[in-house]
C-alpha cells in the first residue's frame, strides 16, 4: 500500500500551488508599479522637485520621532502590562490595542475633538497660551504616534512576557536594581521582539494617512507626508497618476532601504544566543 | 553566618507561620509542594513580604515588622538558587558569575577564583544553553556565591537532574559548606536527598513546621503521626497503652502485645497512642531462640516489590497483630532465601518502636 505516499505528494503539491498563487498576488502590484514607472520615465525627475523632497524628508523624521516616543513611553507600559496583574488589566490591554483595530480616520477625528482648536484640551490650551496643535507638524507626529505606538507596545509586551520572571528575581538577590535588571537582563533577551516592534511601528507611521489628513491637514512642507502627497497627486494635481506612481515607488524604495539597514545594524549588535 | 527567622503570612485560605534558625550548617526544609518551603526562602531573600515577623542575618535585621524594617533583596546579600536555575542565557558563564559583582579590578580575580572552585574554568566563555544540566548547576552556585555570600538558599536545585548527576552535586555542596563555612537552607521533597544533606531537618506541612530537630531525631523519633507519614515511615499503628515501666511502654495493637522504647514523656495507661517503626528496622526470622522473646509475630508475605538495591515486602499477620511492611536489602534477601519462603517470624525490635501521642488526624495520603 503506497497510498499514504500519494496523499503526502498531493498535500505537498497543494501547498506549493497555494504559495505560488498567493505570492503572485503580492508581487504583481509592485511589478505593475515598476512597469508603469519605467514606461513614464519621469520618476527620477520628480525626485528633484521640492514637493517630493519636502514630503519624503517630513515622512522620514516624523516617523522616526514617533517611534522614539513609542519606545520612551511604550516600554514602561509594555513592562507593566507584561509583569503585573491588577483589576481591569484586560481593559487596559484592549485600550492599547484599540488604535490597531480602529480605522485611522476615526483616530484623526478623535484627535481633533481632543486636541483641535475647539477640542477638549485644545480649546483651553489655545485660550491660555495661544498654542494650537492642529494642522501643524506636531499634529503629524501625534497622529503617527497614536496609530503606530500600539504596534510597538504589543510586540514589546509579548517579548517581555516570554522571559522567565525568575531571572529578574534572582538578579535582585544579586544586588541589581530594577533599572539595571531591565537593561542587563530583560531588554537583551526581549531584543528580537523590541526590534520587531520598532520596525512594525515605524512602517505603520511611514504609511500613516487617514489620521494625519484629518488632524494635521495636507500642507506642503509642514504636514504633507509622502502618503498625503501621493493622494494629492492621484486626485488630480499637475502630476496625475504618473506622479502618484512615481511617488509610491520612491516611498517604497526609501522605506525598504531604511528597514534593511536598520535590521542589519540591530542584528549585528545582538549577541549570538 | 547565622540566620534567625520567624514570620507569618496569610495567602488566601493558606495560613503560613514558621520559625527556624541556622548556623553554619545545612538545614533541609522538607515537605510536599505547597507546604510553605519555597515561601520561606522567598521571605528570607526579600522577594515576599511576611505580614509580620522578624528575619535577622548575622544579627542584622533584614525584616522586622515591629520596627518597620524591610531591606530590599538587593541589600540582603543572600545567594538564591531556584529549581530552573534562572541563568542569564545571553551572558557567558563568566558574565553570569560576575553579574552580582561591582566593576573593579577585584572582579576579575574573584570570578576566576569562583570558576576554579566550581571547576568551570574551561567553560567561562560558553553560554548557559550550551552547557549540561550539571554544569549549569555549578554556574548557578558560583553566581550565588560571588558576592561573598555566606547564606545560601537553595530551592530544589537538583530536582531537574538525573540521579547520577545529583549524587555528584550533593557531594560538591557538602564540600563547599566545609570549605566556605556556609549556612545553607535547602528545600527538597526527596527523602533520600533530605537525609543525605541535612544537619537539621524542618518538616513542613500546610504552612507550618511540624518538627525541627537534628536529622536522626526527626527520622527516628517523629513528633507525630503526620511527621512519621511525611518522613516515609511505612508502619504506623494505632495502639492502646497498657502499662509503663522504667524501661519500656507496653502497648496493644490489634490484640498483640508489644514493648516499645520509653519516650521522653511516657503515656499513662489507657491512653491511645500511635506506634511507628521504619520498614528497614523490622527483622525477618525463621524461628524463636527462646520462649521469653518479645515483639514477635507470625506473618505471611502477600505482596512484594523489587527495587533493585532493596525489596519491599508486605506481610499479613497469621494471628493477632498489624500488617507490616518490611524493607530488606538485596543481599540479605538472597541469603535468607526470601523468594522461596512465604511464612516468617517478624521481629519488631523494642528500641525501634517509637511511641507518639495518639488519636491525631492523619493528613492527605502520601504520594
Amino acid at each position: 500500500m503506497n497510498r499514504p505516499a500519494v496523499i503526502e505528494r498531493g498535500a505537498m503539491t497543494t501547498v506549493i500551488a497555494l504559495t505560488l498563487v498567493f505570492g503572485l498576488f503580492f508581487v504583481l502590484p509592485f511589478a505593475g508599479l515598476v512597469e508603469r514607472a519605467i514606461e513614464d520615465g519621469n520618476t527620477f525627475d520628480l525626485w528633484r522637485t521640492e514637493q517630493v523632497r519636502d514630503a519624503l524628508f517630513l515622512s522620514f523624521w516624523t516617523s522616526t520621532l514617533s517611534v522614539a516616543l513609542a519606545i520612551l513611553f511604550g516600554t514602561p507600559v509594555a513592562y507593566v502590562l507584561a509583569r503585573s496583574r491588577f483589576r481591569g488589566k484586560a481593559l487596559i490591554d484592549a485600550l492599547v490595542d484599540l488604535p490597531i483595530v480602529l480605522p485611522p480616520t476615526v483616530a484623526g477625528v478623535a484627535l481633533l475633538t481632543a486636541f483641535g482648536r475647539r477640542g477638549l484640551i485644545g480649546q483651553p490650551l489655545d485660550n491660555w497660551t495661544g498654542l494650537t496643535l492642529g494642522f501643524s507638524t506636531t499634529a503629524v507626529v501625534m497622529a503617527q504616534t497614536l496609530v503606530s505606538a500600539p504596534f510597538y507596545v504589543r510586540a514589546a509586551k509579548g517579548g517581555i512576557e516570554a522571559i522567565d520572571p525568575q531571572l529578574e528575581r534572582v538578579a535582585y538577590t544579586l544586588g541589581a536594581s530594577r533599572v539595571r535588571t531591565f537593561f542587563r537582563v530583560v531588554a537583551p533577551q526581549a531584543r528580537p521582539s523590541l526590534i520587531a516592534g520598532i520596525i512594525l511601528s515605524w512602517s505603520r507611521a511611514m504609511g500613516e494617512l487617514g489620521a494625519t489628513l484629518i488632524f494635521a491637514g495636507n500642507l506642503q512642507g509642514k504636514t504633507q507626508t509622502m502618503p498625503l502627497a501621493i493622494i494629492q497627486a492621484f486626485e488630480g494635481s499637475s502630476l496625475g497618476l504618473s506622479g502618484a506612481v512615481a511617488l509610491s515607488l520612491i516611498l517604497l524604495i526609501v522605506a525598504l532601504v531604511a528597514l534593511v539597514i536598520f535590521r542589519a545594524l540591530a542584528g549585528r549588535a545582538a549577541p549570538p544566543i | 553566618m547565622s540566620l534567625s527567622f520567624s514570620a507569618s503570612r496569610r495567602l488566601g485560605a493558606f495560613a503560613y507561620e514558621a520559625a527556624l534558625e541556622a548556623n553554619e550548617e545545612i538545614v533541609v526544609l522538607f515537605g510536599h509542594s505547597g507546604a510553605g518551603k519555597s515561601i520561606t526562602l522567598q521571605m528570607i531573600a526579600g522577594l515576599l513580604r511576611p505580614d509580620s515577623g522578624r528575619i535577622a542575618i548575622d544579627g542584622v535585621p533584614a525584616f522586622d515588622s515591629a520596627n518597620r524594617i524591610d531591606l530590599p533583596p538587593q541589600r540582603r546579600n543572600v545567594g538564591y538558587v531556584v529549581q530552573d536555575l534562572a541563568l542569564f542565557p545571553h551572558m557567558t558563564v563568566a558574565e553570569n558569575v560576575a553579574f552580582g559583582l561591582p566593576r573593579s579590578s577585584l572582579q576579575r580575580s574573584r570570578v576566576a577564583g569562583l570558576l576554579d572552585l566550581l571547576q568551570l574554568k574551561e567553560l567561562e566563555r560558553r553560554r548557559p544553553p550550551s552547557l549540561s544540566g550539571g554544569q549549569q548547576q555549578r554556574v548557578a552556585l558560583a553566581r550565588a556565591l560571588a558576592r561573598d555570600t555566606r547564606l545560601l538558599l537553595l530551592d530544589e536545585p537538583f530536582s531537574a537532574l538525573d540521579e547520577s548527576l545529583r549524587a555528584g552535586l550533593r557531594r560538591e555542596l557538602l564540600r563547599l559548606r566545609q570549605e566556605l563555612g556556609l549556612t545553607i537552607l535547602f528545600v527538597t521533597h526527596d527523602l533520600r536527598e533530605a537525609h543525605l544533606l541535612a544537619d537539621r531537618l524542618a518538616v513542613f506541612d500546610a504552612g507550618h513546621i511540624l518538627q525541627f530537630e537534628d536529622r536522626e531525631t526527626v527520622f527516628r523519633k517523629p513528633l507525630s503521626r503526620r511527621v512519621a507519614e511525611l518522613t516515609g515511615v511505612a508502619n504506623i499503628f494505632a495502639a492502646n497503652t497498657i502499662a509503663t515501666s522504667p524501661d519500656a511502654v507496653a502497648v496493644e495493637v490489634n490484640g498483640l502485645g508489644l514493648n516499645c522504647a520509653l519516650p521522653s514523656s511516657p503515656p499513662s495507661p489507657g491512653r491511645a497512642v500511635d506506634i511507628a517503626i521504619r520498614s528497614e528496622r523490622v527483622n525477618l526470622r525463621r524461628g524463636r531462640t527462646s520462649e521469653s522473646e518479645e515483639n514477635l509475630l507470625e506473618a505471611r508475605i502477600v505482596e512484594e516489590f523489587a527495587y533493585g538495591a532493596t525489596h519491599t515486602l508486605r506481610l499479613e499477620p497469621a494471628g493477632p497483630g498489624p500488617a507490616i511492611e518490611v524493607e530488606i536489602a538485596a543481599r540479605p534477601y538472597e541469603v535468607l532465601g526470601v523468594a522461596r519462603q512465604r511464612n516468617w517470624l517478624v521481629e519488631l525490635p523494642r528500641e525501634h518502636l517509637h511511641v507518639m501521642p495518639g488519636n491525631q488526624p492523619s493528613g492527605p495520603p502520601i504520594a
Side-chain angles (χ1 to χ4, degrees):
Chain A
M1 288 296 280
N2 57 359
R3 215 171 123 203
V6 171
I7 291 173
E8 277 293 296
R9 212 172 304 139
M12 209 56 216
T13 315
T14 312
V15 168
I16 289 170
L18 288 174
T19 308
L20 280 177
V21 171
F22 206 49
L24 272 180
F25 176 70
F26 276 92
V27 169
L28 281 178
F30 296 108
L33 209 57
V34 172
E35 191 265 341
R36 194 55 171 281
I38 291 168
E39 200 172 284
D40 249 327
N42 65 350
T43 306
F44 300 100
D45 299 334
L46 275 169
W47 177 267
R48 278 181 243 120
T49 66
E50 201 180 343
Q51 188 190 357
V52 172
R53 270 212 316 258
D54 281 353
L56 196 59
F57 182 64
L58 189 70
S59 267
F60 208 87
W61 81 258
T62 52
S63 299
T64 306
L65 181 60
S66 297
V67 171
L69 290 171
I71 295 170
L72 180 65
F73 292 98
T75 309
V77 171
Y79 185 83
V80 169
L81 286 177
R83 279 292 181 256
S84 57
R85 278 196 222 155
F86 52 88
R87 201 187 290 268
K89 186 185 158 193
L91 185 72
I92 305 277
D93 259 334
L95 280 176
V96 168
D97 288 346
L98 200 59
I100 295 178
V101 294
L102 273 187
T105 43
V106 175
V109 172
L111 277 170
L112 206 57
T113 54
F115 299 106
R117 194 195 288 268
R118 300 263 173 81
L120 203 60
I121 305 290
Q123 187 152 27
L125 192 71
D126 189 28
N127 289 345
W128 296 337
T129 65
L131 212 67
T132 42
L133 295 172
F135 304 99
S136 65
T137 309
T138 309
V140 175
V141 175
M142 287 170 75
Q144 287 178 353
T145 304
L146 185 76
V147 296
S148 70
F151 288 89
Y152 172 77
V153 173
R154 198 94 275 258
K157 174 177 167 247
I160 294 166
E161 269 171 348
I163 300 166
D164 183 358
Q166 283 279 31
L167 295 181
E168 289 165 70
R169 295 153 65 83
V170 167
Y172 300 154
T173 69
L174 292 168
S177 67
R178 279 174 173 269
V179 173
R180 180 162 185 260
T181 301
F182 181 83
F183 283 107
R184 292 268 336 258
V185 176
V186 180
Q189 289 184 77
R191 187 187 199 108
S193 301
L194 299 183
I195 289 171
I198 287 170
I199 288 173
L200 268 177
S201 63
W202 188 79
S203 310
R204 182 67 191 81
M206 275 299 270
E208 215 309 296
L209 172 67
T212 313
L213 197 58
I214 290 176
F215 182 49
N218 191 355
L219 311 166
Q220 187 192 330
K222 203 168 166 197
T223 71
Q224 190 180 71
T225 55
M226 279 302 273
L228 271 72
I230 293 169
I231 277 283
Q232 196 179 41
F234 187 71
E235 284 182 343
S237 69
S238 53
L239 299 170
L241 175 62
S242 60
V245 167
L247 294 183
S248 301
L249 203 61
I250 289 167
L251 180 58
L252 208 69
I253 291 166
V254 169
L256 205 63
V257 169
L259 288 179
V260 166
I261 290 173
F262 177 71
R263 247 187 211 286
L265 287 178
R268 188 180 310 159
I273 289 182
Chain B
M1 170 59 72
S2 68
L3 166 78
S4 82
F5 168 88
S6 77
S8 67
R9 185 180 159 119
R10 277 212 83 85
L11 293 153
F14 182 76
Y16 173 94
E17 185 168 9
L20 53 81
E21 79 291 324
N23 199 346
E24 293 190 16
E25 62 189 325
I26 299 184
V27 171
V28 167
L29 315 189
F30 176 78
H32 290 306
S33 55
K37 312 179 301 280
S38 299
I39 287 173
T40 306
L41 297 196
Q42 286 170 25
M43 286 176 173
I44 296 168
L47 298 168
L48 183 73
R49 189 202 307 257
D51 291 338
S52 66
R54 190 169 188 284
I55 302 167
I57 299 166
D58 247 353
V60 181
F63 178 84
D64 188 344
S65 54
N67 293 310
R68 297 180 166 277
I69 295 170
D70 184 11
L71 293 186
Q74 286 88 349
R75 291 179 52 203
R76 295 197 181 190
N77 197 17
V78 299
Y80 180 54
V81 178
V82 291
Q83 186 178 343
D84 50 13
L85 304 180
L87 295 175
F88 305 130
H90 56 294
M91 298 183 196
T92 64
V93 167
E95 285 166 345
N96 264 281
V97 175
F99 183 83
L101 295 170
R103 265 180 228 277
S104 72
S105 51
L106 283 176
Q107 191 194 48
R108 220 170 242 279
S109 63
R110 177 93 186 116
V111 170
L114 283 160
L115 293 176
D116 269 344
L117 182 71
L118 284 147
Q119 295 135 37
L120 292 164
K121 200 79 205 129
E122 283 75 48
L123 305 172
E124 64 177 324
R125 285 175 195 285
R126 299 264 292 272
R127 284 178 212 280
S130 74
L131 302 181
S132 73
Q135 291 166 340
Q136 291 186 12
Q137 199 67 59
R138 297 209 300 273
V139 177
L141 279 174
R143 184 180 63 175
L145 289 167
R147 296 205 304 158
D148 214 11
T149 308
R150 289 286 168 269
L151 176 59
L152 267 191
L153 310 174
L154 308 180
D155 195 348
E156 308 216 10
F158 303 154
S159 56
L161 300 175
D162 295 341
E163 187 52 42
S164 56
L165 274 175
R166 298 167 75 162
L169 281 159
R170 289 171 189 147
R171 274 199 298 276
E172 187 102 10
L173 197 62
L174 291 171
R175 174 177 73 89
L176 284 177
R177 184 197 53 152
Q178 211 63 37
E179 281 180 23
L180 304 176
L182 298 175
T183 298
I184 299 174
L185 262 58
F186 191 102
V187 164
T188 185
H189 62 259
D190 181 325
L191 257 183
R192 284 161 43 87
E193 191 164 81
H195 193 273
L196 175 73
L197 292 176
D199 294 309
R200 284 197 287 170
L201 197 64
V203 180
F204 276 77
D205 190 40
H208 296 269
I209 296 178
L210 300 182
Q211 188 167 6
F212 175 43
E213 283 178 281
D214 65 273
R215 173 183 73 184
E216 288 311 308
T217 306
V218 174
F219 272 88
R220 285 165 184 265
K221 295 176 177 170
L223 272 180
S224 64
R225 170 180 273 265
R226 183 64 180 152
V227 174
E229 287 172 353
L230 288 166
T231 55
V233 177
N235 299 302
I236 306 170
F237 319 125
N240 277 311
T241 313
I242 295 165
T244 302
S245 69
D247 57 348
V249 178
V251 303
E252 172 259 309
V253 180
N254 286 358
L256 178 76
L258 293 173
N259 289 319
C260 308
L262 198 67
S264 49
S265 54
S268 48
R271 279 288 301 272
V273 290
D274 283 323
I275 307 294
I277 181 167
R278 305 193 72 89
S279 57
E280 70 272 20
R281 303 284 175 199
V282 179
N283 296 328
L284 291 185
R285 292 169 49 173
R286 289 189 192 281
R288 291 171 193 265
T289 49
S290 81
E291 276 308 309
S292 62
E293 283 183 296
E294 62 173 11
N295 296 356
L296 292 172
L297 70 151
E298 287 174 16
R300 176 179 175 77
I301 298 173
V302 292
E303 234 182 330
E304 187 173 337
F305 304 94
Y307 288 102
T310 61
H311 293 256
T312 297
L313 315 170
R314 291 189 55 79
L315 295 99
E316 289 289 345
I324 308 267
E325 189 175 304
V326 179
E327 188 182 305
I328 182 168
R331 184 66 189 147
Y333 180 91
E334 285 165 14
V335 171
L336 278 169
V338 177
R340 295 182 302 276
Q341 188 177 343
R342 297 284 94 176
N343 293 309
W344 290 88
L345 204 54
V346 174
E347 183 191 8
L348 307 170
R350 177 196 295 198
E351 63 272 27
H352 298 306
L353 278 174
H354 173 65
V355 178
M356 305 173 292
N359 281 337
Q360 290 178 340
S362 79
I366 311 291

